[in-house]
Every structure is written in structure tokens, then in C-alpha cells.
Amino acid sequence: MSDSAPRDFIRDIIHDDLESGKHTRIVTRFPPEPNGYLHMGHAMSICLNFGVAAETGGRTYLRYDDTNPGKEDQEYVDAIERDVRWLGFDWETRLTHASDYFAALYDAATRLIEIGAAYVDSLSADEIREYRGTLTEPGRDSPYRERSVEENLELFRGMREGEFEDGQHVLRAKIDMASPNMNLRDPTLYRIRHLAHQQTGNDWCIYPMYDFAHTLSDAFEGITHSLCTLEFEDHRPLYNWLLDKLEPPHRPRQIEFSRLNVAYTITSKRKLKALIDDGVVSGWDDPRMPTIAGMRRRGYPPAALRDFVTRAGVTKKDKLVELGMLENSVREVLGATAPRRMAVLRPLKLVLTNYPEDRTEMMSAMNHPNDPSMGERDVPFGRELWIEQDDFMEDAPRKFFRLKPGGEVRLRSAYIIRCDEVVKDEDGSVVELRCSYDETTKSGSANSDRKVKGTIHWVSAAHAVAAEVRLYDRLFREANPNTHEDLASVLNPASLETVDARLEPSLAGETAAVQFERLGYFVSDQDSTAERPVFNRIVTLRDSWAKLEKQALQAATGG
Ligand code: ATP
Ligand code: MG
């Protein structure tokens, strides 16, 4: 990967550990639960975990945290692998599941019982909650807490053998019911669930809890640095307690960092799923979704996403990162690589009255203004053209340098034209512009040095390809929708606008991201058919929100 290596507090720790010889090779893991699609926040975790290992010659596991049978799905498993690969990372042979370790986890739990550090509790779920106490009051010991090792072993074996119903018993760590840290009040390690598991089928009817499975999976895989988000800080004492009791050969270290929160988006699989279930978006890969699948379909290049999370940085402080920062990363990557094309999103007919009816010319247009190596292409030109409705104004202010009655403008890569007549329908709407072209002003020709202030894009009506173009905007109108439980109330009703556009013919069948000149970056959508291409707007050329926000600010301050 060419992205230059960033530095942050986690990388500092890792470099120290390599320098001091504590570790000779860094091993990390990315541990998603396959209960939804990966989102921007996961992208950050992926880039961090795979990144720090790759930068130091280490290795990274992709490990499914699949300890919740029933909530997890093969569709999600497949999507996760596709998304991690697309982001540019490779786990090679290190694809694992927490469920791969069910037998070893069972043995570890048995060992905890043997050393008197775990017991089978037979309180009901409600009672356990009641005994747990509160943040201000200590919990109480379960009456089953002092069962003998033999009785515990026998009951745990019975749990595993399917001798009990769901909820009849649980296995708990024996730590401290009075601990100020609720996670240490004898946390549950195993529960009974008579439910088939997508990996292990009906082999098990007891399943380990996340903290137990996660800590030990880290140890089994020889993870050196177990990087997780801040909400696990309070779980670290349990993580370390388990390692102290079980003394595995490899001792991983948990380090927490703050979640990536991006303005105007949500990063919670549960809430994202609700948007789909409520029909707000078309699916996990709707191009407005902050999922990796959505961003891929939208046309964001993976390099832009990597660049963005690197810029957002790894810290311990909670922060809300501007969405504009991601869009700028996207513009930067596409600005250099996307070829230029012409397309008209809101077509207005323009007729060149002095241009021969049956004539077609090929206009040579550069594919990239700053990169001649990207070559040129021929764009057909004729008597009838489409231009953008916005590029004409009847009562134009003096500084309007596009087309106005009697005014002149250059058609990109073609001629200078003058607007002679405006044709309107009964309602007074402009339906056609009748113009004349100046034959001596063809782009690139010897006498094309006549200058006009404005240049506009166009598409030849006789050659245009009709296409559906989807214009996306942010999904929420609140900067921090995460703080709203009722997401419906903060949706941006204009997050998707569909227009019937006209494209230059070279865009038929184009699959790479392109710039529609003056409009933004676009890419063909999977809904395209041979008859009707569909394009997604990836991002506009400029951050129009930043401009609006600045204008609002200036208006408010009288500036
Ligand atoms: P969600 O709240 O969306 O369900 P999660 O944390 O439950 O997210 P997991 O599949 O358990 O989802 O997450 C896999 C990894 O990604 C974890 O290590 C988690 O800490 C990390 N992760 C999840 N969300 C973010 C985020 N917003 N920023 C950084 N890392 C994240
Ligand atoms: Mg989780």
C-alpha cells in the first residue's frame, strides 16, 4: 500500500514493543460480528488493525465473532470478506471464527472451575440481574456461589450434554460481587442455548459470552495488541483477570481507541438495519448508506476511504469528523484519475440555426486537462444540442457568464455560439434556444483565439444516450443523528434525486468512475441495462455544503 504510514499513540506503543524486544512480530485481528454489513467505523478498525501489522511486517487475523447463534448470517459473512478485500487488505490464511475455538474455550472454562475461579449459577436471569446491584450499590453473592468444584464440573458437563433447559444454569466467573466495575461482578461466561449455530451446527447447546470468547481467542491466536473501541475500557480488567487466571502462553494486550463518528451519518449496525427495514433506503448497499458496500456502489475509491480514516486519526478522544473530509479524499483521488466526459443532467434544447441539418462533426476533447497522457476522444457535434438548463438565464445579472439572450458562450471543445432567440411554451417556460455558431472559432483551430468569458458543456441531441442519473445528498440533516433515537425525524428528504439525463455516447457501457465536466464525479450503477444506463453521482466538484454553511454564517454575522 502506498499510503504513507501514519503515527498515533497505538503505533507508538507498537514501535516501542518492537524496539524493546517485547515482541518480534506484531499480530492483530479484526473481529466483526457477522450480524450486519461493515460501515465507516469498521473501515477505520480494519485500516488500523491491518495497517499496523502491514507496516511492521506483522500479520492480521480476520476473525468472526460468532458467539450469538441466531443473530448471524452467511450473507453478512460473505459481505465482510468482500468489503475487507475491497478496502485493500488480505488476511491470507488467517480467517478464523470464535466458534473454531469452542472446544478449547470449553476446556478453559473447565480449568477455571478446577482452580475455583468459576461456578455454575442456577439463579434465573431476573434474579441474576437483581443480585447484581447497581452502580451505587454492591451486588450480593448468589446462594450457588460456593458450590464445590466437583458439583460445578458435573453441572457444567450436564449443561454441555444438553441435560438442562435454556436459562436453567449459567457459568459465571468468581470475581467480586462488590466490585465498583460491574463487569467484574461475577460475569457470565457461558449460557445454555438450544440453537443450531451456522458453523458448528448442533454440536453445542452452550455458547460462550463475548468477553470470555474474545479474550481467549486473542490469546490462542497469539495476538500481541488487541485494539478495540473505548466502550471496552471497562472490560479490560476482566480481560486481564482471565489472562491472569488461565496464564496462556501468549498474553495479548488490549488497547482502546475512540470510535470514528462522522457528521451526518450513523455508525451502528442496528440503526442501519432499521433504515432498511423501514424502507428509507434500498438495502445495505444503497449508495447513501455509510456502509462499505454502499460507499463502493456509490463509487468511492478504496484509496479515498483509507486516506480519510488516516486523516481522521487514532485517538482516545471522542470526536465528530466532518463528512466533507471524506468527500475531499474522494475528490482528491478521482480528480487525478477520472477521465472527463460531458453529460447534461437537466437538458434544454439548443438549435444552431446556421449549422447544416445533416452535418455531424467529431470534436476532439481532452480526457484530462492536466494529464495529456490520458489522451483525447472524439465527441460528435451537430445542429441540435442539449445544454444544461442552469447554463441559460433570460434576465441574467451582469456577472452571469453563461448563455443569455444576445450573449455569447463557448461550447467546450467546439465553437463560440450566440443566443439569438428564446422559444417559450404557453406557460412562458423556455423550451428551446435558437443560436448561431461562429465557424471560425472551432477549438484547436488556428483562428480560434477569439475569447468569451463562459464555457459550457453540451451533448449532441442526435447522438445522446438517455440515462437515469441519481443525485445523492447526505441521508440526515442533523450533524449528529447518532444522538436521535427517532431517525425518521432527522432524515434529509432530498437525499436522492433522480434526473433524466443526456450523455455523450462514449459513456454507454463505461464502468469506471468519470468526471461529468462541471458537475461532479459519477459512476455507472449496477441497475444499468443496455437500454438504459444508470449513473450515481459520487460527489460534486466542490463542497456545496461548506459554501452554504459559510454563506449562512456570513449572513448571520453581516459579513
Ligand atoms: P455496531 O455498533 O455497528 O454494531 P460493533 O462494534 O458492535 O458495531 P463489531 O462487528 O463488533 O461491531 O465490530 C468489529 C470491530 O470494529 C470491533 O473491534 C469494533 O470495536 C470496531 N468498530 C465498530 N464500530 C467502530 C467505529 N465506529 N469506529 C471504530 N471502530 C469500530
Ligand atoms: Mg459488537
Side-chain angles (χ1 to χ4, degrees):
M1 219 143 293
S2 61
D3 319 7
S4 69
R7 281 310 278 265
D8 49 61
F9 80 99
I10 289 180
R11 287 175 165 91
D12 289 344
I13 293 172
I14 283 173
H15 283 268
D16 287 349
D17 287 350
L18 285 169
E19 226 154 73
S20 72
K22 181 176 178 197
H23 298 294
T24 50
R25 176 189 270 147
I26 300 305
V27 187
T28 58
R29 85 288 170 268
F30 172 63
E33 179 176 2
N35 62 348
Y37 277 57
L38 300 179
H39 53 59
M40 280 180 196
H42 296 115
M44 176 200 178
S45 181
I46 293 166
C47 290
L48 176 63
N49 279 292
F50 281 90
V52 294
E55 290 154 23
T56 58
R59 41 183 61 161
T60 304
Y61 285 83
L62 171 59
R63 183 205 308 146
Y64 293 108
D65 157 28
D66 58 350
T67 51
N68 262 322
K71 280 211 309 192
E72 296 154 3
D73 203 301
Q74 187 61 36
E75 179 197 348
Y76 299 141
V77 171
D78 297 340
I80 287 168
E81 283 169 46
R82 198 159 56 229
D83 290 348
V84 174
R85 275 220 177 80
W86 177 79
L87 256 187
F89 299 101
D90 189 357
W91 53 88
E92 293 166 20
T93 56
R94 288 173 284 278
L95 180 83
T96 58
H97 304 79
S99 59
D100 297 343
Y101 308 122
F102 279 173
L105 290 168
Y106 180 79
D107 290 345
T110 305
R111 172 92 193 114
L112 284 177
I113 295 172
E114 284 166 356
I115 62 173
Y119 63 97
V120 172
D121 197 357
S122 310
L123 291 178
S124 69
D126 285 341
E127 287 166 331
I128 288 179
R129 208 168 304 123
E130 203 190 303
Y131 274 70
R132 210 165 161 236
T134 64
L135 285 172
T136 50
E137 277 169 51
R140 279 178 294 144
D141 287 358
S142 161
Y144 304 101
R145 199 173 194 261
E146 297 309 327
R147 275 175 167 150
S148 69
V149 169
E150 291 67 35
E151 191 184 356
N152 281 319
L153 284 174
E154 181 53 26
L155 283 167
F156 190 48
R157 191 201 50 76
M159 284 168 65
R160 194 248 179 281
E161 294 302 319
E163 291 167 14
F164 307 111
E165 304 288 311
D166 285 10
Q168 212 177 327
H169 305 290
V170 292
L171 183 75
R172 300 178 72 175
K174 196 170 183 178
I175 309 181
D176 178 6
M177 288 306 292
S179 173
N181 183 341
M182 301 290 276
N183 294 297
L184 294 182
R185 292 187 188 173
D186 292 9
T188 302
L189 303 178
Y190 263 95
R191 66 233 189 282
I192 303 171
R193 296 198 69 188
H194 289 272
L195 200 59
H197 184 281
Q198 64 273 20
Q199 288 293 322
T200 57
N202 290 310
D203 292 352
W204 296 87
C205 61
I206 56 171
Y207 291 99
M209 299 300 286
Y210 174 81
D211 284 313
F212 181 66
H214 187 248
T215 308
L216 291 181
S217 302
D218 282 350
F220 296 153
E221 290 172 356
I223 304 299
T224 54
H225 299 80
S226 179
L227 312 178
C228 62
T229 35
L230 273 180
E231 68 269 24
F232 290 101
E233 199 165 23
D234 289 347
H235 297 238
R236 181 160 24 102
L238 173 56
Y239 190 93
N240 288 334
W241 182 89
L242 286 165
L243 297 174
D244 290 343
K245 292 291 168 197
L246 290 164
E247 298 182 303
H250 297 282
R251 188 182 172 103
R253 170 175 175 190
Q254 174 176 311
I255 305 171
E256 309 86 15
F257 59 92
S258 64
R259 296 176 80 88
L260 175 68
N261 291 310
V262 182
Y264 299 99
T265 65
I266 50 174
T267 44
S268 148
K269 283 179 280 193
R270 181 177 61 79
K271 290 183 181 173
L272 292 172
K273 185 159 191 311
L275 292 177
I276 301 165
D277 294 342
D278 296 346
V280 172
V281 294
S282 63
W284 286 103
D285 69 347
D286 186 299
R288 292 167 291 176
M289 289 281 267
T291 52
I292 296 179
M295 294 188 283
R296 174 172 57 234
R297 182 167 171 189
R298 173 83 167 256
Y300 288 4
L305 215 54
R306 293 196 300 266
D307 179 61
F308 166 65
V309 297
T310 304
R311 283 175 201 235
V314 180
T315 64
K316 280 249 181 211
K317 271 206 304 276
D318 263 327
K319 57 180 181 285
L320 194 62
V321 179
E322 281 305 317
L323 188 57
M325 205 163 116
L326 170 58
E327 293 177 341
N328 278 334
S329 293
V330 172
R331 285 186 192 102
E332 212 169 287
V333 172
L334 293 178
T337 55
R340 276 42 172 175
R341 296 288 184 264
M342 288 197 283
V344 172
L345 297 185
R346 294 179 178 84
L348 172 62
K349 179 67 75 68
L350 185 153
V351 180
L352 295 174
T353 51
N354 61 340
Y355 195 91
E357 298 241 1
D358 50 2
R359 186 157 151 212
T360 295
E361 273 180 278
M362 284 301 181
M363 297 300 181
S364 178
M366 284 186 75
N367 287 330
H368 197 292
N370 310 324
D371 185 358
S373 76
M374 287 177 70
E376 301 186 350
R377 70 192 186 286
D378 284 338
V379 187
F381 183 88
R383 177 184 161 90
E384 298 205 349
L385 306 168
W386 297 112
I387 67 162
E388 212 67 63
Q389 288 169 17
D390 280 4
D391 282 337
F392 172 77
M393 206 176 202
E394 196 164 18
D395 298 310
R398 222 163 43 84
K399 294 227 159 169
F400 185 81
F401 297 125
R402 290 166 273 167
L403 203 52
K404 49 192 163 192
E408 284 190 321
V409 79
R410 176 173 286 285
L411 297 176
R412 168 84 87 218
S413 307
Y415 299 102
I416 292 176
I417 60 162
R418 189 183 61 235
C419 178
D420 304 316
E421 189 189 342
V422 180
V423 183
K424 297 181 181 175
D425 62 15
E426 307 91 78
D427 312 330
S429 315
V430 178
V431 290
E432 187 177 297
L433 301 178
R434 299 184 73 77
C435 302
S436 46
Y437 83 113
D438 177 348
E439 201 178 7
T440 68
T441 58
K442 185 167 174 174
S443 282
S445 74
N447 49 1
S448 73
D449 52 354
R450 190 148 82 78
K451 293 268 184 292
V452 287
K453 279 242 157 109
T455 299
I456 64 173
H457 60 274
W458 50 273
V459 170
S460 161
H463 307 89
V465 175
E468 177 178 328
V469 176
R470 299 174 182 168
L471 306 174
Y472 300 105
D473 199 349
R474 44 198 63 179
L475 198 46
F476 296 99
R477 49 198 172 129
E478 272 288 313
N480 196 356
N482 278 310
T483 58
H484 292 256
E485 208 32 56
D486 176 24
L487 289 177
S489 66
V490 291
L491 284 171
N492 172 10
S495 63
L496 169 60
E497 183 191 357
T498 299
V499 293
D500 185 16
R502 299 290 180 275
L503 315 180
E504 70 167 74
S506 72
L507 283 166
E510 175 65 74
T511 53
V514 294
Q515 184 191 106
F516 289 177
E517 291 214 29
R518 303 174 62 228
L519 298 172
Y521 296 97
F522 293 77
V523 72
S524 110
D525 186 80
Q526 65 196 40
D527 288 346
S528 290
T529 61
E531 294 75 45
R532 188 162 176 81
V534 177
F535 276 79
N536 296 322
R537 182 171 69 197
I538 306 169
V539 69
T540 54
L541 290 183
R542 272 171 292 276
D543 186 348
S544 51
W545 279 74
K547 212 168 87 192
L548 283 177
E549 276 157 29
K550 205 167 135 202
Q551 278 171 2
L553 203 72
Q554 278 172 352
T557 57

